[in-house]
């Protein structure tokens, strides 16, 4: 029986993936084996020795101390693509907001309350101040062609836009799903220089944080409209405000408000609604819970941010799961310990992800429980589980 603790409300459809015969959900547990989380901040939260895995019901993991988890042998899962539909739809709405001045127009028309029969005439007289361009025929640059970026790019093609994509790390699956109408840009500067709109769909990391800054804004096509439904930290807000004031940017639509962005002409702030749909919340919960359960029960890892993907059907006998550093000699040391225990290796998979590695073995024979301690004693082995 595994104990799962939730740090936020998790959709019931997700919790239903944790069968009561194998899992117990206890939000007051001091020693859970698994944690399900959405936005709760975990950086100052101690990790109990019992903790084996964390499932994040969402794509970003900025609220989770991933390096600390790796050092403790805790697998961190996320749910890429589970909320893609909701975010992509809102991004398309953001394109319209950026073009047609809808927010100031709607605020203005509300100010006509009390004008009675004069309202229609006042509307016709005042509407010209909110004229904005259509999307069809304009150039859209999509930065980041993951699950969300691909949906946005494909939808924009159908809207009649000329779409350019930039993603040096695009996956094979994303490439297959991308419309043939999307053109490839070699550099971000090239993309910015030719596009009327730029939409961001990439993660925040040390390389991307603040990368949309004065240098890039100077290189962009004058009057470009910028959309950010990825992460607020991607954009240097001070440089953004300066670019808007100078007219280098015409508009900024973001799902990540901050104090300095509020009340500024040309900026539309949305209160982080990208994944705030019942469908997205349910999809994320189901995906996170399913991945967490599969790891705890079978040792399989899919969509982890700190460990490699290893999914192997169970063979006969016991399953040995070893999280270790990606260093020479570890595989031979692990298999030697298995051989010395007179066990037969039926299946074995080893994969690495940067400095971390994971070895999964199905063994047959008389498995001595002491084998786990022998494997854990090997230098650079972080965690061993016997299933």
């Amino acid at each position: 029986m595994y104990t799962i603790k939730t740090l936020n409300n998790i959709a019931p459809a997700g919790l239903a993936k944790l069968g009561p015969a194998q899992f117990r959900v206890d939000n007051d547990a001091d020693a859970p084996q698994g944690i399900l989380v959405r936005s709760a901040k975990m950086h100052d939260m101690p990790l109990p020795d019992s903790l084996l895995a964390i499932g994040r019901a969402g794509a970003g993991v900025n609220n989770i101390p991933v390096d600390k988890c790796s050092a403790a042998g805790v697998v961190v899962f996320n749910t890429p693509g589970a909320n893609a539909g909701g975010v992509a739809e809102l991004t398309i709405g953001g394109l319209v907001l950026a073009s047609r001045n809808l927010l100031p127009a709607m605020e203005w028309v509300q100010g006509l309350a009390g004008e009675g029969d004069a309202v229609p005439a006042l509307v016709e007289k005042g509407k010209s101040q909110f004229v904005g361009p259509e999307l069809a025929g304009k150039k859209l640059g999509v930065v980041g062609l993951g699950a969300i970026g691909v949906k946005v790019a494909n939808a924009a093609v159908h809207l009649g836009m000329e779409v350019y994509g930039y993603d040096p790390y695009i996956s094979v699956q994303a490439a297959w799903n991308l419309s043939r109408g999307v053109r490839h840009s070699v550099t971000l500067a090239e993309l910015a220089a030719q596009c009327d709109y730029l939409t961001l769909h990439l993660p925040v990391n040390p390389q991307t944080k603040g990368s949309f800054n004065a240098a890039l804004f100077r290189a962009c096509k004058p009057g470009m409209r910028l959309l950010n439904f990825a992460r607020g930290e991607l954009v240097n807000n001070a440089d953004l405000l300066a670019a808007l004031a100078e007219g280098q940017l015409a508009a900024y639509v973001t799902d990540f408000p901050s104090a300095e962005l509020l009340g500024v002409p040309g900026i539309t702030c949305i209160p982080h609604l990208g994944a705030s749909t019942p469908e997205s919340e349910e999809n994320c919960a189901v995906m996170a819970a399913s991945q967490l359960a599969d790891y705890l029960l079978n040792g399989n890892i899919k969509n982890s941010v700190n460990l490699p993907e290893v999914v192997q059907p169970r063979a006969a006998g016991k399953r040995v799961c070893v999280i270790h550093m990606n260093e020479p000699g570890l595989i031979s040391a692990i298999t030697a310990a298995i051989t010395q225990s007179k066990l037969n290796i039926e299946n074995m998979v080893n994969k690495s992800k940067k400095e971390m590695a994971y070895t999964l073995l199905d063994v047959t024979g008389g498995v001595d429980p002491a084998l786990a301690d022998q494997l854990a004693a090997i230098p650079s082995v972080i965690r061993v589980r016997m299933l």
Side-chain angles (χ1 to χ4, degrees):
M1 177 72 72
Y2 292 98
T3 300
I4 308 298
K5 185 173 186 175
T6 66
L7 302 184
N8 300 102
N9 290 327
I10 303 297
L15 297 179
K17 295 295 180 179
L18 305 172
Q22 298 163 313
F23 299 96
R24 177 175 66 97
V25 178
D26 181 359
N27 296 338
D28 296 320
D30 293 324
Q33 285 78 47
I35 287 177
L36 285 171
V37 62
R38 289 172 59 197
S39 58
K41 299 188 183 304
M42 297 185 63
H43 286 278
D44 296 326
M45 174 182 168
L47 301 179
D49 293 338
S50 61
L51 187 62
L52 300 173
I54 298 169
R56 159 76 165 102
V61 291
N62 293 355
N63 57 319
I64 299 172
V66 176
D67 290 343
K68 183 179 176 182
C69 290
S70 298
V74 176
V75 184
V76 179
F77 298 96
N78 68 344
T79 57
N83 60 6
V87 179
E89 286 182 4
L90 192 60
T91 302
I92 298 302
L95 284 170
V96 178
L97 285 171
S99 284
R100 303 298 296 275
N101 298 308
L102 291 183
L103 184 59
M106 289 185 291
E107 290 174 344
W108 172 80
V109 80
Q110 289 297 321
L112 301 180
E115 295 292 341
D117 294 340
V119 168
L122 291 170
V123 165
E124 292 302 316
K125 182 179 179 181
K127 68 180 184 180
S128 60
Q129 62 187 300
F130 305 109
V131 169
E134 296 180 12
L135 298 176
K138 304 303 186 300
K139 294 181 179 181
L140 170 67
V142 181
V143 184
L145 293 168
I148 297 169
V150 166
K151 283 182 177 290
V152 171
N154 291 349
V157 168
H158 289 295
L159 289 172
M161 301 190 78
E162 190 175 318
V163 183
Y164 294 80
Y166 172 75
D167 190 337
Y169 309 107
I170 186 172
S171 70
V172 173
Q173 184 62 43
W176 274 110
N177 291 333
L178 193 62
S179 167
R180 287 181 295 178
V182 178
R183 307 179 189 192
H184 173 236
S185 290
V186 177
T187 68
L188 185 56
E190 173 196 349
L191 188 76
Q194 63 185 331
C195 288
D196 304 294
Y197 302 79
L198 201 66
T199 180
L200 313 184
H201 302 287
L202 66 162
V204 171
N205 55 44
Q207 290 70 45
T208 62
K209 184 176 181 179
S211 58
F212 293 85
N213 52 29
L216 185 66
F217 297 148
R218 283 193 297 269
C220 76
K221 183 176 181 179
M224 187 184 73
R225 291 166 165 85
L226 179 66
L227 289 82
N228 182 7
F229 290 87
R231 281 291 179 267
E233 296 88 347
L234 292 167
V235 176
N236 181 309
N237 285 344
D239 291 353
L240 170 85
L241 292 169
L244 281 167
E246 296 164 3
Q248 189 65 17
L249 293 181
Y252 181 49
V253 180
T254 180
D255 207 21
F256 306 96
S258 60
E260 64 270 26
L261 300 180
L262 300 178
V264 178
I267 295 181
T268 301
C269 289
I270 300 170
H272 201 187
L273 298 181
S276 294
T277 69
E279 295 85 354
S280 288
E281 291 182 7
E282 183 169 300
N283 291 343
C284 288
V286 168
M287 192 170 174
S290 298
Q291 292 169 172
L292 184 66
D294 194 22
Y295 175 68
L296 294 177
L297 295 175
N298 302 305
N300 290 325
I301 297 178
K302 186 175 183 180
N303 292 323
S304 170
V305 299
N306 62 336
L307 270 295
E309 182 161 317
V310 176
V311 178
Q312 178 78 10
R314 293 288 290 261
K318 283 276 190 181
R319 172 157 283 191
V320 182
C321 313
V322 186
I323 297 175
H324 55 89
M325 301 302 294
N326 182 22
E327 296 178 359
L330 265 293
I331 305 300
S332 59
I334 291 169
T335 55
I338 299 289
T339 302
Q340 289 169 8
S341 298
K342 303 189 184 316
L343 299 174
N344 186 52
I345 299 175
E346 302 290 341
N347 285 317
M348 185 180 86
V349 181
N350 168 264
K351 290 186 179 180
S352 62
K353 188 169 188 174
K354 296 182 180 179
E355 73 276 5
M356 301 295 294
Y358 186 55
T359 301
L360 194 64
L361 309 100
D362 289 324
V363 301
T364 54
V367 179
D368 187 339
L371 175 62
D373 293 331
Q374 295 171 22
L375 292 169
I378 297 173
S380 297
V381 168
I382 300 171
R383 185 161 231 157
V384 178
R385 300 174 63 217
M386 309 279 286
L387 303 174

